[in-house]
Amino acid sequence: MRLLVLGGTEFVGRAVVEAAVRRGWEVTVFHRGRHRPPPGVRALHGDRTAPDGLAALAGDDAWDAVVDTWSAAPRAVRETARLLRGRAGRYVHVSSRSVYAFPPTGDRALVEGASAGAEQTDYALDKRGGELAAVESFGTDRALLVRAGLILGPYENVGRLPWWLTRIARGGPVLAPGPRELRLQYIDVRDLAEWTLGAIERGLGGPYDLVSPPGHTTMGAFLEACVAITGGRAELRWTDPDVVLGAGIEPWTQLPVWVPPDSDLFDALHTSDVSRALATGLTCRAVEETVADTWAWLQNLGGVAPQRPDRTSKGLDPEVEAKVLGLTGGVPDTTP
């Protein structure tokens, strides 16, 4: 298989490239040159936001599939897909479950107002516009839309799991947002990569929600795995969701991964039906493996994870955490 990855040097793109190389595929990456691509690939340089930025792709090269992780202006996806539609067998757009209308509806309505030729607006419209751009050039049979949920794992440059690992590694009482048995959905970036490559081999097209089954892990298991892998010096203090929200703490951003139960946000993030993905080969590794491998990667970097400049910083101010724990005391974790 000949694969072109647009990007390919960070997080999702890098995981896809490494998985393809392991399969023995011939891989080309097209990127700005800011980061070194994985070994064993051919690199082309260009900037999709610049005039003539696709010049390096304008030759006669052909690929069995293209993987595109773009999340800004949909017009960049449209321009690339139009350029490649006669030279690529399949176009994979790594999209997001954010393309569904919020609050969630039973009919899984999509966000309105997206356009394949639009400039950058907001994340949901940009991702939906990218989907439309891919389908415009490749059709519903040859455009694969990977609607990913929460993505965790090595190479994360968004700041969710790295923040939890760094915070818990500091030790001491940790504000653990409850309930402990809160069911979570996420996808390890390497499982996303493997499913995507398998979908290319199967010739799949159309939209697929890609995240673990509901309840693949819990908030308790997730944070306890972080405590175990970082040395066990932290004490999880389980805190009622009403207390967390009453303190003005923002779910998802100040306490990454967590959102309160019985909320529209929880329904949107952690209750997705992924039966189609499971039926087409999706497998999800244990949360302990995701946490351990991310910690090992983070340690190899000296403890500081990369951060995308177009994403908000994550995490809770230590003074806010201490204040909330001081007021409530939390509930100490009594796990043996």
Side-chain angles (χ1 to χ4, degrees):
M1 297 288 283
R2 302 189 71 207
L3 180 70
L4 171 64
V5 180
L6 305 173
T9 64
E10 296 186 90
F11 203 18
V12 175
R14 189 176 190 93
V16 169
V17 168
E18 291 185 351
V21 170
R22 286 195 299 270
R23 290 179 179 227
W25 291 16
E26 183 180 327
V27 181
T28 301
V29 296
F30 174 80
H31 67 117
R32 294 184 178 98
R34 297 175 180 172
H35 306 280
R36 182 176 298 176
V41 306
R42 173 193 178 205
L44 300 175
H45 291 160
D47 184 346
R48 298 167 75 177
T49 66
D52 298 322
L54 297 175
L57 294 176
D60 297 325
D61 288 337
W63 294 274
D64 295 294
V66 179
V67 174
D68 189 353
T69 63
W70 189 257
S71 58
R75 65 169 179 77
V77 180
R78 172 188 258 185
E79 292 168 2
T80 311
R82 284 180 172 179
L83 177 65
L84 298 173
R85 60 186 166 190
R87 295 186 286 125
R90 193 161 301 277
Y91 200 100
V92 181
H93 181 55
V94 181
S95 185
S96 167
R97 292 178 60 246
S98 295
V99 300
Y100 294 115
F102 187 87
T105 58
D107 60 358
R108 294 169 57 83
L110 298 169
V111 294
E112 297 181 354
S115 169
E119 297 295 335
Q120 184 172 2
T121 53
D122 67 56
Y123 184 76
L125 290 175
D126 291 343
K127 279 298 190 183
R128 179 57 183 151
E131 291 185 352
L132 294 172
V135 171
E136 177 185 271
S137 287
F138 282 80
T140 55
D141 292 336
R142 295 196 299 134
L144 176 62
L145 312 178
V146 182
R147 292 175 177 166
L150 168 63
I151 307 173
L152 302 176
Y155 308 131
E156 188 194 331
N157 56 3
V158 182
R160 296 186 177 108
L161 180 49
W163 181 81
W164 275 115
L165 286 166
T166 301
R167 168 61 195 96
I168 287 174
R170 291 204 311 265
V174 175
L175 194 160
R180 185 170 172 172
E181 64 275 11
L182 187 72
R183 292 155 61 87
L184 303 181
Q185 278 185 294
Y186 75 94
I187 185 76
D188 186 295
V189 67
R190 296 162 296 178
D191 296 332
L192 183 157
E194 291 293 346
W195 181 88
T196 298
L197 298 181
I200 291 171
E201 291 176 327
R202 293 180 176 90
L204 300 184
Y208 285 81
D209 282 9
L210 205 72
V211 69
S212 66
H216 177 68
T217 192
T218 63
M219 199 69 201
F222 172 68
L223 293 186
E224 286 156 13
C226 292
V227 172
I229 199 63
T230 57
R233 294 183 298 143
E235 179 188 13
L236 299 178
R237 296 288 185 93
W238 292 101
T239 305
D240 188 271
D242 289 339
V243 174
V244 175
L245 297 175
I249 296 172
E250 294 184 9
W252 192 248
T253 53
Q254 290 182 296
L255 288 174
V257 177
W258 180 81
V259 293
D262 303 319
S263 66
D264 288 335
L265 190 56
F266 179 83
D267 291 342
L269 291 168
H270 295 300
T271 63
S272 180
D273 177 4
V274 292
S275 55
R276 290 188 73 221
L278 293 171
T280 51
L282 175 64
T283 59
C284 299
R285 67 195 69 204
V287 67
E288 291 81 7
E289 183 177 349
T290 299
V291 168
D293 292 348
T294 305
W295 178 243
W297 163 75
L298 193 59
Q299 293 301 102
N300 287 336
L301 293 180
V304 179
Q307 178 66 46
R308 283 184 58 158
D310 60 343
R311 294 290 184 268
T312 58
S313 60
K314 307 294 188 292
L316 186 61
D317 185 289
E319 292 185 4
V320 174
E321 179 184 36
K323 182 178 180 180
V324 174
L325 290 178
L327 289 174
T328 67
V331 179
D333 189 346
T334 57
T335 303

